[in-house]
Structure formats: C-alpha cells, structure tokens
Amino acid sequence: MRIHIRPLGPIQTNCYILEDEEKNCLVFDPGGDGEALLSELRKLSLKPVAILLTHAHFDHIGAVEKIRTAFDIPVYLHVAEKKWLGSPELNGSAKYPVLPDVICHPADVLLHDEKYLEVGPFKMELRHVPGHSPGSVCYIFEDEGFAIVGDTLFQGSVGRTDLPGGDTETLLKAIHEKLLSLDDEMLVYPGHGPATTIGIEKDQNPYLHGF
C-alpha cells in the first residue's frame, strides 16, 4: 500500500490517503480544502471507498461532505461523538468566529468496540484512545507497520485536553495502554506535524516520561 499525506484546512491537519494496488483508497480526516482534495483524488485516479475519522473536531472534518458526496461513500466515526458532526459547538468550529461553522450530516457507520475492521479491501485494527476527545480512535495497520493516530500522540507531544470532553489523565493512560504497547518500530502518523515512531516517543517524549 501507498500513503499520501496532505495537510489541509485552516490549521493544516494531516489528511492521509491510503491507496492499494488496485487504486482503491481510504481517506482519513479530510480537514478542509475540499475542492483541492477532490482534485487530487481525481488526478491520482483513485477510487475512495470510505472516509475514516480519528475524531470529529472541526479541523478534521471540514471536507467530509465534499468528498462523501462526490464519491457516495460512507463516513466512519466513534459513537461517542455521533452528535459532533452536526454541532459547531461540539466540533469546535463555533469557537472561532473568523472561521465558518462546520456542519456535516451524521456518520454512516458508528464505531463501538475495539475490533478488526474490514473496509472494502482494507483491513486494520481499531483502538479507542480517548482523552483528547471522547471518541478519539487510532487505526493500526500492523502488517504494514504504521498507525494513523489523530490528535492523540505527536512527535514530542500529546493531544491537547482543554477542549470539551478532554482529560489529561485519561489521554496519558490510553496512550500508555493502547499505543505504547505497539512495537517500537511502528510508524506513527499524527493529526498534525511529522511522523514519528513508538520507540522514539517512549524515549524522547517529555509528556510520557514517568510512565
């Protein structure tokens, strides 16, 4: 598989496009710039099969409707945030008057339990990692050696916890149990900034020292 990384939207959220050899793809966290993202997908001759969200903050969902409508594909989101797509107050867009409110239709598939997911030809493991938001999830591609983790773990940092539903203790506990248990070589693709590895964050992330 091949992964494309496209920073999108007002705060340059990483959108990940995962492509297989048949040109099928998954779109993770289309955060904005819908027309540009749509043009990119068509330029690459990709066939999106689903949109997978790590969580429903506005900067991760800004282009959801553009892509969902263009390709008539389902949106996946954890059940804890099922009301967030349609609520600027919950998804955070109402907090910034200079930005338009982000309002999307409900998710097509609500994720409940941690499990192995099959979405079209793609197989992955789902892990619930709350703390940044109640429904934050990470998508683990163990055989391929990478994880798409949203705003849970970053290079040298962790997700903020001062937004609705955030909690620092919950986040650190979830990172320890659900992410640091992965192989040290596992490549981590975060919601913002550069990729890292589990091993590097164990050794160097100041927020995780003491665990």
Side-chain angles (χ1 to χ4, degrees), residues 2 33 37 54 62 72 80 88 101 107-108 124 133 145 165 168 206:
R2 180 182 181 187
D33 302 324
L37 178 56
T54 61
D72 191 23
D101 286 346
D108 302 284
M124 74 212 78
S133 69
T168 300

Short mmCIF file of all heavy atoms in Angstrom, two decimals, residues 2 33 37 54 62 72 80 88 101 107-108 124 133 145 165 168 206:
data_model
loop_
_atom_site.label_atom_id
_atom_site.label_comp_id
_atom_site.label_asym_id
_atom_site.label_seq_id
_atom_site.Cartn_x
_atom_site.Cartn_y
_atom_site.Cartn_z
N ARG A 2 0.30 2.32 -0.46
CA ARG A 2 0.98 3.60 -0.52
C ARG A 2 0.16 4.63 0.26
O ARG A 2 -1.06 4.62 0.19
CB ARG A 2 1.14 4.04 -1.97
CG ARG A 2 1.84 5.38 -2.16
CD ARG A 2 1.91 5.74 -3.64
NE ARG A 2 2.59 7.01 -3.84
CZ ARG A 2 2.68 7.63 -5.01
NH1 ARG A 2 2.11 7.10 -6.09
NH2 ARG A 2 3.31 8.79 -5.12
N ASP A 33 -10.22 22.34 2.62
CA ASP A 33 -9.78 22.47 1.22
C ASP A 33 -10.39 21.38 0.35
O ASP A 33 -9.70 20.68 -0.40
CB ASP A 33 -8.25 22.41 1.13
CG ASP A 33 -7.56 23.48 1.97
OD1 ASP A 33 -8.11 24.60 2.05
OD2 ASP A 33 -6.50 23.21 2.54
N LEU A 37 -8.68 18.77 -2.42
CA LEU A 37 -8.58 17.34 -2.12
C LEU A 37 -9.30 16.52 -3.18
O LEU A 37 -8.78 15.49 -3.64
CB LEU A 37 -9.17 17.06 -0.74
CG LEU A 37 -9.19 15.60 -0.29
CD1 LEU A 37 -7.80 14.99 -0.32
CD2 LEU A 37 -9.81 15.49 1.11
N THR A 54 -10.58 10.04 12.77
CA THR A 54 -9.99 9.73 14.07
C THR A 54 -10.79 10.37 15.19
O THR A 54 -10.81 9.87 16.31
CB THR A 54 -8.53 10.21 14.15
OG1 THR A 54 -8.48 11.63 13.98
CG2 THR A 54 -7.67 9.53 13.09
N GLY A 62 -13.60 19.19 7.88
CA GLY A 62 -14.05 20.29 7.03
C GLY A 62 -14.40 19.92 5.61
O GLY A 62 -15.21 20.59 4.97
N ASP A 72 -19.97 9.28 -3.07
CA ASP A 72 -21.05 8.49 -2.47
C ASP A 72 -20.48 7.37 -1.60
O ASP A 72 -20.76 6.19 -1.80
CB ASP A 72 -21.96 7.92 -3.55
CG ASP A 72 -23.24 7.32 -2.98
OD1 ASP A 72 -23.63 7.72 -1.86
OD2 ASP A 72 -23.83 6.44 -3.64
N ALA A 80 -19.14 7.77 20.44
CA ALA A 80 -19.10 8.79 21.49
C ALA A 80 -19.21 10.20 20.92
O ALA A 80 -19.53 11.14 21.65
CB ALA A 80 -17.81 8.66 22.31
N PRO A 88 -21.56 22.74 15.59
CA PRO A 88 -20.37 23.59 15.67
C PRO A 88 -19.87 23.78 17.10
O PRO A 88 -18.67 23.96 17.33
CB PRO A 88 -20.82 24.91 15.06
CG PRO A 88 -21.95 24.52 14.14
CD PRO A 88 -22.64 23.39 14.84
N ASP A 101 -18.83 28.00 10.47
CA ASP A 101 -19.28 26.83 11.21
C ASP A 101 -19.17 25.59 10.32
O ASP A 101 -19.50 25.64 9.13
CB ASP A 101 -20.73 27.00 11.66
CG ASP A 101 -20.87 27.99 12.81
OD1 ASP A 101 -19.84 28.34 13.42
OD2 ASP A 101 -22.01 28.41 13.08
N ALA A 107 -22.63 10.51 10.72
CA ALA A 107 -21.79 9.44 10.20
C ALA A 107 -22.65 8.28 9.73
O ALA A 107 -23.73 8.02 10.27
CB ALA A 107 -20.81 8.97 11.27
N ASP A 108 -22.18 7.57 8.73
CA ASP A 108 -22.90 6.41 8.21
C ASP A 108 -22.63 5.16 9.04
O ASP A 108 -23.49 4.28 9.15
CB ASP A 108 -22.48 6.16 6.76
CG ASP A 108 -22.72 7.37 5.89
OD1 ASP A 108 -23.88 7.61 5.53
OD2 ASP A 108 -21.76 8.09 5.59
N MET A 124 -7.68 -3.48 9.14
CA MET A 124 -6.94 -2.74 10.16
C MET A 124 -7.51 -3.05 11.54
O MET A 124 -8.59 -3.64 11.67
CB MET A 124 -7.03 -1.24 9.88
CG MET A 124 -8.39 -0.63 10.20
SD MET A 124 -8.88 0.75 9.15
CE MET A 124 -9.43 -0.12 7.67
N SER A 133 -10.33 13.79 22.92
CA SER A 133 -11.78 13.88 22.76
C SER A 133 -12.35 12.53 23.15
O SER A 133 -11.64 11.52 23.15
CB SER A 133 -12.16 14.26 21.32
OG SER A 133 -11.88 13.19 20.44
N GLY A 145 3.04 -1.88 9.35
CA GLY A 145 3.95 -1.20 10.25
C GLY A 145 3.67 0.26 10.51
O GLY A 145 4.58 1.03 10.84
N GLY A 165 -14.82 17.49 26.63
CA GLY A 165 -14.61 16.05 26.68
C GLY A 165 -13.18 15.63 26.84
O GLY A 165 -12.88 14.43 26.89
N THR A 168 -6.64 14.98 30.66
CA THR A 168 -5.23 14.64 30.55
C THR A 168 -4.94 13.25 31.09
O THR A 168 -4.22 12.45 30.45
CB THR A 168 -4.37 15.67 31.30
OG1 THR A 168 -4.60 16.97 30.73
CG2 THR A 168 -2.89 15.33 31.18
N PRO A 206 8.59 14.13 26.33
CA PRO A 206 8.60 14.54 27.73
C PRO A 206 7.27 14.33 28.44
O PRO A 206 7.23 14.20 29.67
CB PRO A 206 8.96 16.04 27.67
CG PRO A 206 8.54 16.47 26.30
CD PRO A 206 8.79 15.29 25.42
#
